[in-house]
Amino acid sequence: MSVSAVQPKPTIAISMGDPLGIGPEIIVKSLADESLRRRARFHIRGLSTALGVAARSANITPFWHGVPHDAPDAGLATRHDVLLLDYSELEGTAGSTPAPGPTRPGGVASFGFVVDSIGATQRPPADPWHADAIVTGPISKTSWRLAGHTQFPGHTELLAARFAAPRTAMLFIGPHLRVILATIHIPLMAVREALSAAKVLDAIELGHLACQRLGIGSARIAVCGLNPHAGEGGLMGDDETRLISPAIAQARARSIDARGPFPADTVFLAAAAGQYDLVVAMYHDQGLIPVKLLDRNEAVNVTVGLPTIRTSPAHGTAFDIAGQNRADAGSMRAAIELALRMAGPAPMLR
């Protein structure tokens, strides 16, 4: 292959997440693999102290070059495979808590990291600080609330707002399951009011498009019911007949192979056995419990419906084990790998 035909390396923006959680540790452990580092340029937005502590705890030699996050030197953007954009002005606050947990400083820092990472993807492609994808470390929704960011329950809502995306969804990809959610970060008691045929149809359509871009030409999509036994013919609720079945019918009219609604207590077993390529869950825990049970350390959260790529490990901050070198970096590694695939010569899921 000629030099001119070689594909340029993609640039992946990585937001550290809450610096008091396991984000620094799983980033360090994932990128400690030199073969992974060679495949892209990584711009980590976070705190130097947190990354250094994680490296020492894991006995990993620092492999990154640190610069202030507002460094004006454009040449730095492409000079190093791993660049830490350091928010040193936050070091004294976000790192001063005696024990890991939700804090206002942690919310301020983690929110800033992801907002600036989003901004990097919105720069022109020729800009040396442009990013081709975002991989987000885990944040604490409580920390965001303490920092005053109450309008965004999580990453997905913030991303949708910043990109003015008309419809988005959380898609989880693992070795055993692919699951997309019709509703996301809302209380369980609010699901029935929030759910609509349009939301179910959006999830089916976005999931169908995602499967196509993953190379699944005609995805078999199983749609969960909301109620036990998928309503048992109306004996346990009419949401299936009022909302979910009409959405499935509309999807099928658009040549999408959507089926159901199925009882959620059995459909994930069928999907894990290979009978379906994707499951549409009606609410957060309905979909996330089987994902975290079967694919815990390998599942990736992808935000579909955005004009850019965003992946994330499918777990939270794990404050209870933060700073103890006990975190499994498998899900973060998988998130980085998927972002690289999606940002490659044939971009997917955009």
Side-chain angles (χ1 to χ4, degrees), residues 197-217:
K199 284 186 181 294
V200 177
L201 181 59
D202 280 349
I204 295 171
E205 287 189 321
L206 288 170
H208 171 72
L209 289 171
C211 286
Q212 285 186 326
R213 291 164 184 166
L214 287 168
I216 304 169

Side-chain angles (χ1 to χ4, degrees), residues 75-156:
L76 286 170
T78 57
R79 199 175 298 156
H80 305 276
D81 284 345
V82 183
L83 198 62
L84 169 64
L85 299 166
D86 186 14
Y87 290 67
S88 58
E89 71 274 15
L90 300 176
E91 290 282 7
T93 54
S96 62
T97 185
T103 63
R104 180 183 180 280
V108 170
S110 58
F111 190 85
F113 302 155
V114 72
V115 165
D116 288 351
S117 296
I118 290 170
T121 69
Q122 295 173 322
R123 289 174 176 265
D127 188 313
W129 293 107
H130 168 79
D132 299 293
I134 307 169
V135 179
T136 57
I139 58 99
S140 163
K141 296 173 178 61
T142 302
S143 293
W144 277 21
R145 179 171 55 79
L146 292 171
H149 302 299
T150 56
Q151 71 274 44
F152 303 116
H155 279 122
T156 305

Side-chain angles (χ1 to χ4, degrees), residues 178-329:
R178 298 180 195 91
V179 178
I180 194 166
L181 307 182
T183 64
I184 49 175
H185 299 122
I186 58 175
L188 181 59
M189 296 301 290
V191 170
R192 195 169 190 267
E193 293 303 316
L195 197 65
S196 66
K199 284 186 181 294
V200 177
L201 181 59
D202 280 349
I204 295 171
E205 287 189 321
L206 288 170
H208 171 72
L209 289 171
C211 286
Q212 285 186 326
R213 291 164 184 166
L214 287 168
I216 304 169
S218 182
R220 301 159 299 168
I221 300 175
V223 183
C224 291
L226 175 65
N227 298 296
H229 302 181
E232 193 79 51
L235 293 176
M236 299 185 187
D238 64 352
D239 305 274
E240 287 73 20
T241 55
R242 285 190 307 108
L243 307 175
I244 302 173
S245 290
I248 294 171
Q250 289 181 65
R252 294 186 67 85
R254 300 177 188 184
S255 301
I256 298 173
D257 185 7
R259 313 174 194 180
F262 296 114
D265 60 354
T266 57
V267 72
F268 291 100
L269 290 173
Q275 294 181 35
Y276 302 105
D277 302 297
L278 176 74
V279 178
V280 179
M282 294 300 106
Y283 57 93
H284 185 278
D285 283 15
Q286 186 183 61
L288 267 293
I289 289 173
V291 166
K292 292 187 177 184
L293 180 65
L294 294 178
D295 293 327
R296 169 72 179 177
N297 294 323
E298 298 176 86
V300 180
N301 175 14
V302 183
T303 305
V304 291
L306 298 176
T308 194
I309 297 161
R310 180 265 174 157
T311 67
S312 179
H315 58 69
T317 52
F319 287 130
D320 58 320
I321 62 169
Q324 302 175 39
N325 192 31
R326 293 171 53 197
D328 188 312

Side-chain angles (χ1 to χ4, degrees), residues 52-77:
V53 167
R56 287 193 297 274
S57 181
N59 199 28
I60 292 171
T61 302
F63 47 78
W64 60 88
H65 181 79
V67 297
H69 68 92
D70 52 358
D73 183 359
L76 286 170

